[in-house]
């Protein structure tokens, strides 16, 4: 299985066996600044080289899984992804042409790929109604309902782009809306807001967390604002979809209990009639997207085989 | 099929054929003030009498469907319903004992029952990802995802109890939270808020709408506040779950385009990257809950028969 998690800055790639074991992994740069066509060419080259490596190592490639930060039209195999400069690019056809073989190609949203991996092998194992919420450069969510990931034809799960900041405090989000969760609670927002507040640039949310641990009051204020809207978002999701477990992922979960315990306390204090979810850390880290791409592709192969065994 | 939509003030009851045709309907009072046991007794008496009527009319009762405004434990057949004074009552066992026959008994949330009817025979026919949102005395939602209603073990869909009013404007909701959608945008809230604003009691939201049509500025202000938070709620749901169609039901949809067109315009103006849903009126009106109870029960019978035809 050739699997690629194609991000705006890096491609995390792997060869993954049927049991989810990663037999090879590598990371390559995404040539985002060279434009969408260059990004697609880099993806195709990567997939072909991984395929060749798999073959050379004695493996048979059964399918290809690619996850991207974009909206996938599953019927046509086209992708819209602002972070990759892709405007409705025919990615599946390009992959088929590049590998020159008739294998299943699974294209999926990167966060849903990560959620799939957490559901199958990670923090959401055993749940049927749960949420994977990575807090990284941006915020999106993978919703698990009745045991399956909700796609909404590629549109579902944009919890990061729901409004939780109101009035004068609301900032314009990259998505064009005002006051989105992502403008306050993403790792990028925490770094940006600390810099805006203090005039000091920081090396990402990680440095803000270090300052927080050292007693910096500006870091504490920025962190508190992020926690407040995250609690709002988790209460909202719990009220609407009633998950039994929420797995927080992305760079921010590196904060561990500094993040998780206030979220648990905040949600607990706000709920009245709702069912309270467990709030835990995702466990697969940066590998989740690539692993999810591979697991989705393996499950497609299995499903195709099963349907092929039955009379049509 | 014996079907009952057991509400806090009335029971809407029916005998429904396999094709959804209602062969008999009646309405009875719910003795809510006499307590939960009296409500249950009234339900049992109603079901038994409907059963007897069906038999006398030459029909065979294949199943019983009951929808209630509460949280159903589907495994145990117990119900928690504040509006019925039911605290974890063993409703399914009581029904089995009362009818003395081994037929499937379907218990479901009344709004999900209504959503099921709208999905099968009403405004949501043909959708796989959609929302039924009745605006009545309270507000709850029936979420359709990947072609099925989302239950969340009875907890899902509480859009009416998500927070859309902030700061000093937020009122305490009956659910114990502050600023819920229901405190501003339900039919009951509109009547209550008009009365609070003007000191004049009104005969429900209907009279506020009449005053609105007559140019009353207080009615316009109360209505505008409701529309604003309803747009917020629809934008939020669209961003998170990406429905293709939203069917508004309940008493408020009697306002027709006075309600629907501002919602469409408001949602359209707010969306940026999201997929825009159709916003339409539900079509089954007050019958939706009872019809949904019957259709769920018929589908249970069909499913049981189909699974019975296959080797185990």
């Amino acid at each position: 299985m050739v699997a690629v998690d194609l991000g705006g800055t890096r491609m995390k790639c792997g060869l993954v066996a049927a049991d989810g074991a990663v037999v090879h992994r590598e990371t390559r740069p995404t040539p985002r600044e060279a434009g969408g066509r260059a990004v697609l060419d880099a993806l195709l080259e990567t997939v072909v080289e991984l395929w060749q490596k798999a073959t050379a190592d004695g493996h048979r490639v059964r399918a290809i899984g690619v996850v991207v930060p974009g909206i996938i039209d599953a019927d046509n195999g086209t992708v819209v992804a602002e972070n990759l400069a892709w405007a409705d690019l025919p990615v599946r056809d390009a992959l088929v042409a590049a590998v020159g073989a008739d294998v299943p190609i699974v294209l999926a949203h990167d966060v849903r790929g990560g959620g799939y991996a957490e559901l199958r092998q990670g923090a959401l194992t055993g749940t049927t109604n749960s949420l994977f919420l990575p807090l990284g450069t941006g915020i999106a969510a993978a919703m698990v309902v009745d045991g399956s990931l909700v796609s909404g034809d590629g549109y579902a799960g944009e919890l990061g782009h729901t409004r939780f900041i109101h009035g004068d405090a609301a900032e314009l989000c990259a998505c064009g809306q005002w006051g989105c969760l992502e403008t306050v609670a993403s790792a990028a927002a925490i770094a940006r807001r600390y810099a805006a507040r203090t005039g000091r640039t920081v090396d990402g949310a990680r440095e803000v967390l270090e300052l927080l641990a050292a007693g910096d009051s500006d870091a504490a204020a920025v962190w508190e604002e992020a926690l407040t809207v995250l609690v709002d978002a988790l209460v909202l999701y719990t009220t609407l979809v009633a998950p039994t477990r929420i797995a927080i992922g992305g760079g921010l979960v590196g904060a561990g209990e500094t993040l998780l315990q206030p979220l648990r306390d905040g949600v607990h204090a706000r709920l009245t009639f709702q069912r309270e979810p467990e709030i835990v850390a995702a466990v697969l880290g940066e590998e989740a997207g690539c692993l999810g791409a591979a697991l989705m592709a393996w499950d497609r192969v299995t499903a195709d085989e099963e349907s092929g065994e039955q009379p049509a």
Side-chain angles (χ1 to χ4, degrees), chain A:
Chain A
M1 187 65 49
V2 173
V4 179
D5 177 2
L6 176 54
T9 53
R10 288 175 303 166
M11 287 185 255
K12 288 167 230 160
C13 323
L15 295 172
V16 182
D19 62 356
V22 181
V23 296
H24 170 74
R25 57 165 62 92
E26 62 182 272
T27 299
R28 299 181 176 203
T30 301
R32 166 70 178 80
E33 69 293 342
R37 184 68 228 180
V39 171
L40 180 58
D41 286 343
L43 171 66
L44 299 177
E45 183 181 296
T46 300
V47 168
V48 168
E49 288 177 14
L50 284 168
W51 182 298
Q52 289 166 345
K53 174 171 174 48
T55 307
D57 291 351
H59 303 296
R60 177 177 156 217
V61 177
R62 303 288 304 277
I64 297 167
V66 177
V67 297
V68 296
I71 295 171
I72 292 107
D73 182 326
D75 290 337
N76 299 318
T78 57
V79 178
V80 177
E82 210 245 320
N83 278 346
L84 306 174
W86 284 4
D88 218 22
L89 229 55
V91 177
R92 190 166 56 209
D93 287 352
L95 282 164
V96 168
V99 299
D102 185 24
V103 297
I105 292 177
V106 174
L107 288 174
H109 187 276
D110 55 355
V111 172
R112 276 188 286 281
Y116 198 80
E118 293 288 350
L119 178 62
R120 289 282 310 278
Q121 303 197 345
L124 299 179
T125 308
T127 65
T128 56
N129 190 345
S130 54
L131 183 72
F132 172 54
L133 183 64
L135 307 173
T137 308
I139 298 178
M143 305 165 58
V144 177
V145 169
D146 291 336
S148 299
L149 282 163
V150 177
S151 159
D153 301 315
Y155 288 92
E158 297 289 356
L159 190 61
H161 296 289
T162 50
R163 186 163 74 179
F164 290 101
I165 305 98
H166 305 270
D168 292 345
E171 294 175 44
L172 182 62
C173 182
C175 77
Q177 300 181 100
W178 290 82
C180 293
L181 177 66
E182 187 170 301
T183 63
V184 170
S186 67
I190 285 170
R192 180 175 44 74
R193 288 167 65 84
Y194 183 85
R197 185 183 178 96
T198 62
R200 301 200 301 273
T201 52
V202 284
D203 184 20
R206 182 189 308 252
E207 189 177 340
V208 178
L209 282 161
E210 289 168 6
L211 289 159
L212 174 72
D216 182 293
S217 63
D218 290 308
V222 167
W223 186 244
E224 196 55 47
E225 288 166 348
L227 289 174
T228 298
V229 295
L230 284 170
V231 167
D232 284 347
L234 297 182
V235 168
L236 181 144
Y237 191 84
T238 297
T239 304
L240 191 58
V241 195
T244 58
R245 196 180 300 158
I246 296 172
I248 311 285
L252 271 199
V253 85
E257 291 300 309
T258 303
L259 173 68
L260 296 172
Q261 196 54 49
L263 294 183
R264 288 186 200 112
D265 293 343
V267 168
H268 180 79
R270 284 271 304 277
L271 299 184
T272 59
F273 67 94
Q274 302 97 323
R275 177 169 67 174
E276 187 167 345
E278 289 179 87
I279 299 173
V280 301
V283 297
L284 298 171
E286 297 204 333
E287 304 294 322
C290 181
L291 183 58
L295 291 172
M296 284 178 166
W298 270 116
D299 287 351
R300 173 76 60 85
V301 168
T302 306
D304 287 353
E305 282 176 357
E306 284 174 359
S307 67
E309 281 167 16
Q310 304 205 350

